[in-house]
Amino acid sequence: MNSDNGILQETPAESEVSSKYICTANHGFAPYAQEELRRAFGSVKSTLLVPGEVFAATLKASAFQVAEQLSRREPMFLRHLFLVEWEWQLPNESERSDTPITQGEWLADLLQFLLADSRLAGKKLAIQTRKAEGSLWSGSAAELKDAIQEGLAELDAEFAVRASDLIVSVFAAKDAVYAGVNVPEANLSDWNGGAIRFQREEGQISRAKFKLLEAEAVFGIDFAAFHEALDIGAAPGGWTSFLLERGLKVTAVDPAKLHPDVLASPRLTHVRKNAASVKFRENQFDLLVCDMSWSPKLTARMVADLLYALVPGGTAVVTVKLLGKKPMALIQEVTGMFQEARLQVQRAKQLFHNRDEITLYMIKY
Ligand SMILES: C[S@@+](CC[C@H](N)C(=O)[O-])C[C@H]1O[C@@H](n2cnc3c(N)ncnc32)[C@H](O)[C@@H]1O
């Protein structure tokens, strides 16, 4: 900053600082991820690469500033991003020569860029590749990964899927290819595009279970440390089965039927009633979960009415359905209601396994 007659002015160098990212949100939520970036960094220059999902964004901040700000205030809808350090743009038709462009050209250029990066030699590397439909890479994303790994053989690096030292991220779009190298923490998620995958188990009761598995991994909640849980809107029993597996006693409230495998557990109590008409002991539970897929405000009121049964310091994990066109405002209103009910929001995030909803991780104070 310059001070001219006491008026602070931005120096040209500061106003020109920018960094570019490939950003990913759950399908249909890219506009909200863009809005989050706008709120955090001012104007955002962005190009959609996969409709509703993946976009390139240039932010008016250095890579350091962006990483610092995102770690201080984690976005809800931006699931994953990587810093673009190398970019190959398809020349305009008028600028192209008569010889058609082959993917070998940009791949050779990308490999040259990566081989020249002194951070990579001897490291444990995860190569994460993705592509848009009709992209400049004609094969599959897995084939692109293989081609890059082959091209980097001389680096004497170890290739890994998880727990790597560095991630090489590549996105092949229709008219451009983007790449960057960074530590896993810088990408918001160390999964490719933030798409965290769990293996479906034999006899798994519902896909909903993946949400709690993901909450456990992403929010770092040690579910096995709780003793007694209340599951509101529990049927068919995916969340309940997860909590039983973690060794908890579970009271599952739902007028609907639970899966027979869940009912077989001696640690389960099924209350086949509407959650608005149940009564428990004060401080009976140290964990409350609710995945009712219902009106967010009515859900918040119902959870608030049952909070006497959650011990102070207890944890609540609640999914909030995003109805209508203003999810940001809705989330603000609903989290305000929880806050008033003495639930402190620890994390609010649209998990990869959340469809039109977000997951709140809260603690009662
Ligand atoms: C999306 S499902 C829950 C899935 C569950 N979390 C699982 O993992 O299998 C929503 C459930 O909420 C229940 N529900 C809706 N309103 C309710 C209420 N007022 N009281 C209790 N359960 C309710 C429905 O009967 C339905 O079974």
Side-chain angles (χ1 to χ4, degrees), residues 206 208 233-239 253-256 273-275 291-293 302:
S206 71
W239 284 29
V253 180
D254 202 310
K273 285 186 179 168
N274 185 317
D291 177 38
M292 273 197 322
S293 198
M302 185 168 279

mmCIF file of all heavy atoms in Angstrom, residues 206 208 233-239 253-256 273-275 291-293 302, ligand 1:
data_model
loop_
_atom_site.group_PDB
_atom_site.id
_atom_site.type_symbol
_atom_site.label_atom_id
_atom_site.label_comp_id
_atom_site.label_asym_id
_atom_site.label_seq_id
_atom_site.Cartn_x
_atom_site.Cartn_y
_atom_site.Cartn_z
ATOM 1 N N SER A 206 -28.318 -49.018 3.523
ATOM 2 C CA SER A 206 -28.651 -47.867 2.666
ATOM 3 C C SER A 206 -27.383 -47.106 2.296
ATOM 4 O O SER A 206 -26.383 -47.169 3.017
ATOM 5 C CB SER A 206 -29.632 -46.923 3.384
ATOM 6 O OG SER A 206 -28.960 -46.254 4.426
ATOM 7 N N ALA A 208 -27.135 -44.111 2.587
ATOM 8 C CA ALA A 208 -27.023 -43.032 3.579
ATOM 9 C C ALA A 208 -25.848 -43.264 4.528
ATOM 10 O O ALA A 208 -25.257 -42.312 5.041
ATOM 11 C CB ALA A 208 -28.325 -42.927 4.369
ATOM 12 N N GLY A 233 -35.248 -40.165 12.659
ATOM 13 C CA GLY A 233 -35.511 -40.447 11.239
ATOM 14 C C GLY A 233 -34.545 -41.526 10.780
ATOM 15 O O GLY A 233 -33.737 -41.310 9.880
ATOM 16 N N ALA A 234 -34.617 -42.684 11.430
ATOM 17 C CA ALA A 234 -33.539 -43.678 11.312
ATOM 18 C C ALA A 234 -33.726 -44.716 10.203
ATOM 19 O O ALA A 234 -32.762 -45.355 9.791
ATOM 20 C CB ALA A 234 -33.383 -44.398 12.643
ATOM 21 N N ALA A 235 -34.980 -44.924 9.763
ATOM 22 C CA ALA A 235 -35.243 -46.024 8.825
ATOM 23 C C ALA A 235 -34.703 -45.712 7.412
ATOM 24 O O ALA A 235 -34.667 -44.541 7.030
ATOM 25 C CB ALA A 235 -36.754 -46.275 8.757
ATOM 26 N N PRO A 236 -34.243 -46.706 6.693
ATOM 27 C CA PRO A 236 -34.234 -48.144 7.025
ATOM 28 C C PRO A 236 -33.123 -48.572 7.995
ATOM 29 O O PRO A 236 -33.114 -49.704 8.447
ATOM 30 C CB PRO A 236 -34.044 -48.803 5.655
ATOM 31 C CG PRO A 236 -33.289 -47.788 4.846
ATOM 32 C CD PRO A 236 -33.784 -46.443 5.318
ATOM 33 N N GLY A 237 -32.172 -47.672 8.300
ATOM 34 C CA GLY A 237 -31.228 -48.041 9.354
ATOM 35 C C GLY A 237 -29.753 -47.971 8.986
ATOM 36 O O GLY A 237 -28.921 -48.533 9.691
ATOM 37 N N GLY A 238 -29.413 -47.277 7.910
ATOM 38 C CA GLY A 238 -28.000 -47.158 7.504
ATOM 39 C C GLY A 238 -27.156 -46.493 8.592
ATOM 40 O O GLY A 238 -26.102 -47.004 8.978
ATOM 41 N N TRP A 239 -27.626 -45.347 9.100
ATOM 42 C CA TRP A 239 -26.864 -44.621 10.136
ATOM 43 C C TRP A 239 -26.840 -45.420 11.431
ATOM 44 O O TRP A 239 -25.825 -45.538 12.091
ATOM 45 C CB TRP A 239 -27.465 -43.219 10.389
ATOM 46 C CG TRP A 239 -27.140 -42.226 9.319
ATOM 47 C CD1 TRP A 239 -26.909 -42.489 8.011
ATOM 48 C CD2 TRP A 239 -27.002 -40.805 9.481
ATOM 49 N NE1 TRP A 239 -26.641 -41.327 7.332
ATOM 50 C CE2 TRP A 239 -26.701 -40.278 8.209
ATOM 51 C CE3 TRP A 239 -27.125 -39.933 10.551
ATOM 52 C CZ2 TRP A 239 -26.497 -38.919 7.988
ATOM 53 C CZ3 TRP A 239 -26.926 -38.564 10.344
ATOM 54 C CH2 TRP A 239 -26.612 -38.063 9.076
ATOM 55 N N VAL A 253 -35.456 -43.548 16.209
ATOM 56 C CA VAL A 253 -36.840 -43.073 16.173
ATOM 57 C C VAL A 253 -37.290 -42.972 14.727
ATOM 58 O O VAL A 253 -36.670 -42.252 13.927
ATOM 59 C CB VAL A 253 -36.955 -41.682 16.840
ATOM 60 C CG1 VAL A 253 -38.400 -41.192 16.807
ATOM 61 C CG2 VAL A 253 -36.447 -41.723 18.267
ATOM 62 N N ASP A 254 -38.311 -43.709 14.392
ATOM 63 C CA ASP A 254 -38.876 -43.624 13.037
ATOM 64 C C ASP A 254 -40.160 -44.448 13.013
ATOM 65 O O ASP A 254 -40.148 -45.599 13.454
ATOM 66 C CB ASP A 254 -37.873 -44.161 11.990
ATOM 67 C CG ASP A 254 -38.176 -43.623 10.597
ATOM 68 O OD1 ASP A 254 -39.340 -43.702 10.167
ATOM 69 O OD2 ASP A 254 -37.241 -43.120 9.944
ATOM 70 N N PRO A 255 -41.275 -43.879 12.498
ATOM 71 C CA PRO A 255 -42.495 -44.677 12.391
ATOM 72 C C PRO A 255 -42.328 -45.808 11.374
ATOM 73 O O PRO A 255 -43.042 -46.807 11.438
ATOM 74 C CB PRO A 255 -43.556 -43.681 11.896
ATOM 75 C CG PRO A 255 -42.897 -42.339 11.878
ATOM 76 C CD PRO A 255 -41.426 -42.514 11.994
ATOM 77 N N ALA A 256 -41.351 -45.650 10.471
ATOM 78 C CA ALA A 256 -41.148 -46.668 9.422
ATOM 79 C C ALA A 256 -40.326 -47.845 9.961
ATOM 80 O O ALA A 256 -39.679 -47.744 10.991
ATOM 81 C CB ALA A 256 -40.447 -46.032 8.231
ATOM 82 N N LYS A 273 -42.300 -44.166 16.381
ATOM 83 C CA LYS A 273 -43.182 -43.005 16.561
ATOM 84 C C LYS A 273 -42.639 -41.823 15.780
ATOM 85 O O LYS A 273 -41.461 -41.787 15.408
ATOM 86 C CB LYS A 273 -43.200 -42.606 18.039
ATOM 87 C CG LYS A 273 -44.004 -43.509 18.921
ATOM 88 C CD LYS A 273 -44.037 -42.899 20.304
ATOM 89 C CE LYS A 273 -44.850 -43.742 21.251
ATOM 90 N NZ LYS A 273 -44.658 -43.323 22.629
ATOM 91 N N ASN A 274 -43.526 -40.824 15.633
ATOM 92 C CA ASN A 274 -43.103 -39.534 15.109
ATOM 93 C C ASN A 274 -42.180 -38.892 16.166
ATOM 94 O O ASN A 274 -42.489 -38.942 17.359
ATOM 95 C CB ASN A 274 -44.363 -38.675 14.911
ATOM 96 C CG ASN A 274 -44.045 -37.347 14.259
ATOM 97 O OD1 ASN A 274 -43.063 -36.686 14.603
ATOM 98 N ND2 ASN A 274 -44.869 -36.970 13.299
ATOM 99 N N ALA A 275 -41.051 -38.306 15.720
ATOM 100 C CA ALA A 275 -40.090 -37.739 16.674
ATOM 101 C C ALA A 275 -40.688 -36.578 17.471
ATOM 102 O O ALA A 275 -40.144 -36.201 18.516
ATOM 103 C CB ALA A 275 -38.837 -37.283 15.933
ATOM 104 N N ASP A 291 -31.223 -37.436 10.118
ATOM 105 C CA ASP A 291 -31.112 -37.423 8.654
ATOM 106 C C ASP A 291 -32.518 -37.644 8.102
ATOM 107 O O ASP A 291 -32.811 -38.669 7.525
ATOM 108 C CB ASP A 291 -30.151 -38.556 8.244
ATOM 109 C CG ASP A 291 -30.000 -38.712 6.742
ATOM 110 O OD1 ASP A 291 -29.978 -37.701 6.038
ATOM 111 O OD2 ASP A 291 -29.895 -39.872 6.279
ATOM 112 N N MET A 292 -33.377 -36.630 8.335
ATOM 113 C CA MET A 292 -34.797 -36.833 8.044
ATOM 114 C C MET A 292 -35.217 -36.454 6.640
ATOM 115 O O MET A 292 -36.333 -36.747 6.236
ATOM 116 C CB MET A 292 -35.636 -36.053 9.047
ATOM 117 C CG MET A 292 -35.865 -36.875 10.275
ATOM 118 S SD MET A 292 -37.186 -36.288 11.308
ATOM 119 C CE MET A 292 -37.079 -34.566 11.248
ATOM 120 N N SER A 293 -34.335 -35.734 5.933
ATOM 121 C CA SER A 293 -34.666 -35.337 4.569
ATOM 122 C C SER A 293 -36.026 -34.628 4.535
ATOM 123 O O SER A 293 -36.903 -34.958 3.744
ATOM 124 C CB SER A 293 -34.699 -36.610 3.712
ATOM 125 O OG SER A 293 -34.605 -36.281 2.374
ATOM 126 N N MET A 302 -37.525 -29.555 15.563
ATOM 127 C CA MET A 302 -37.690 -30.881 16.181
ATOM 128 C C MET A 302 -36.427 -31.278 16.957
ATOM 129 O O MET A 302 -36.507 -31.759 18.086
ATOM 130 C CB MET A 302 -37.978 -31.901 15.084
ATOM 131 C CG MET A 302 -38.273 -33.259 15.602
ATOM 132 S SD MET A 302 -38.939 -34.283 14.305
ATOM 133 C CE MET A 302 -40.631 -33.781 14.283
HETATM 134 C C1 LIG B 1 -33.737 -40.318 4.379
HETATM 135 S S1 LIG B 1 -34.564 -41.404 5.463
HETATM 136 C C2 LIG B 1 -33.330 -41.719 6.657
HETATM 137 C C3 LIG B 1 -32.276 -42.654 6.212
HETATM 138 C C4 LIG B 1 -31.431 -43.144 7.358
HETATM 139 N N1 LIG B 1 -30.583 -42.086 7.869
HETATM 140 C C5 LIG B 1 -30.540 -44.312 6.982
HETATM 141 O O1 LIG B 1 -29.327 -44.199 7.115
HETATM 142 O O2 LIG B 1 -31.064 -45.351 6.560
HETATM 143 C C6 LIG B 1 -35.655 -40.343 6.308
HETATM 144 C C7 LIG B 1 -36.473 -41.034 7.374
HETATM 145 O O3 LIG B 1 -37.016 -40.018 8.214
HETATM 146 C C8 LIG B 1 -38.245 -40.499 8.715
HETATM 147 N N2 LIG B 1 -39.029 -39.369 9.234
HETATM 148 C C9 LIG B 1 -39.554 -38.322 8.562
HETATM 149 N N3 LIG B 1 -40.226 -37.512 9.420
HETATM 150 C C10 LIG B 1 -40.111 -38.071 10.655
HETATM 151 C C11 LIG B 1 -40.572 -37.709 11.958
HETATM 152 N N4 LIG B 1 -41.307 -36.614 12.145
HETATM 153 N N5 LIG B 1 -40.241 -38.489 12.993
HETATM 154 C C12 LIG B 1 -39.503 -39.612 12.819
HETATM 155 N N6 LIG B 1 -39.032 -40.008 11.617
HETATM 156 C C13 LIG B 1 -39.342 -39.248 10.552
HETATM 157 C C14 LIG B 1 -38.870 -41.170 7.506
HETATM 158 O O4 LIG B 1 -39.848 -42.126 7.931
HETATM 159 C C15 LIG B 1 -37.669 -41.825 6.831
HETATM 160 O O5 LIG B 1 -37.547 -43.179 7.199
#
